[in-house]
Amino acid sequence: MTTDTLTDFQLGDIPDLSDVQDTVSSPFSDGWYEATILAKREFTDQQGNERVFESGDEPAQRSGRNIRLQMAIKRQSDGKALNTSYLLNYQPEDLTAETVKAVLAHKEKVKEGEQWGPLFRSFMTLQRLGKLQKIAGIRQFQRNGNGGLDLHTVYGKTAYVKLVDDDRNPKYKMIKDISADRPKQVL
């Protein structure tokens, strides 16, 4: 086409293009997302089976106890939802006054260069439970009468979760960290 032909060509009204969209949404990236902690999640799977996943604190299969929290994650950019769970394993002895006192005392030694050693697992557990208490807005969890913690105070609360590739299957995401405080960038 020459420039003469272009000037002679008349464009009609441009039609509404809002229905021409990419229908495939992008997968969740690694990063921080806003989530709601649910008491339970109910849905129908692809085979038509009713599925129910409940939050709670139950005995672990091998040792200790498992806190499993059902999470409804919503991406800020497009509102896409992702449902997953957060798992925290702990030993009941981590919650004794003696263990807490030992962890706090050793924390000061670690600041001076000493290694955590056998208290590291207890430290990580107490740190994670402390984050859950902050999300719940309480000073301490109560017992549930079943040997575990009563988690009703966290249900319905907003938390921020850090998603990363699941180390067992990179097609899926897992929660690596959880926080009551909003990170600088929430996806």
Side-chain angles (χ1 to χ4, degrees):
M1 265 189 200
T2 65
T3 50
D4 291 337
T5 312
L6 284 176
T7 55
D8 292 340
F9 182 67
Q10 296 288 326
L11 284 178
D13 290 339
I14 298 173
D16 178 7
L17 303 173
S18 60
D19 287 336
V20 182
Q21 298 178 26
D22 181 7
T23 57
V24 178
S25 64
S26 60
F28 278 72
S29 304
D30 288 357
W32 287 94
Y33 294 86
E34 185 174 306
T36 302
I37 302 171
L38 306 173
K40 68 179 173 180
R41 221 171 10 101
E42 299 178 76
F43 64 96
T44 304
D45 67 17
Q46 292 177 343
Q47 287 76 35
N49 301 315
E50 294 296 319
R51 308 279 292 180
V52 177
F53 293 102
E54 294 191 45
S55 292
D57 181 340
E58 300 291 331
Q61 198 170 11
R62 293 188 188 157
S63 70
R65 298 191 63 86
N66 284 334
I67 292 175
R68 184 175 308 278
L69 297 175
Q70 299 305 314
M71 305 292 244
I73 300 169
K74 188 173 184 181
R75 187 162 51 194
Q76 300 292 311
S77 62
D78 62 3
K80 182 177 180 184
L82 172 70
N83 295 315
T84 191
S85 60
Y86 175 67
L87 180 67
L88 190 158
N89 177 270
Y90 71 94
Q91 303 296 321
E93 55 270 13
D94 292 334
L95 305 179
T96 65
E98 296 80 21
T99 302
V100 173
K101 186 176 178 179
V103 165
L104 291 173
H106 199 73
K107 188 176 172 184
E108 295 306 313
K109 294 177 184 177
V110 168
K111 287 179 184 176
E112 297 169 8
E114 199 169 313
Q115 297 297 311
W116 272 105
L119 285 174
F120 183 71
R121 189 196 48 74
S122 293
F123 165 71
M124 292 302 295
T125 297
L126 295 173
Q127 186 179 45
R128 290 175 182 143
L129 286 171
K131 290 177 182 184
L132 287 181
Q133 283 183 179
K134 188 172 181 182
I135 291 166
I138 60 173
R139 280 188 57 91
Q140 68 187 63
F141 284 110
Q142 300 300 311
R143 295 286 178 183
N144 67 6
N146 186 20
L149 303 176
D150 181 356
L151 301 171
H152 286 87
T153 54
V154 297
Y155 301 155
K157 301 288 181 157
T158 297
Y160 296 92
V161 297
K162 185 172 187 175
L163 291 182
V164 297
D165 287 340
D166 190 320
D167 50 11
R168 294 172 301 212
N169 187 343
K171 285 181 19 182
Y172 298 101
K173 293 291 184 185
M174 66 181 222
I175 297 173
K176 181 177 175 93
D177 198 3
I178 189 167
S179 176
D181 302 320
R182 183 181 176 89
K184 289 182 182 181
Q185 184 177 7
V186 176
L187 302 173

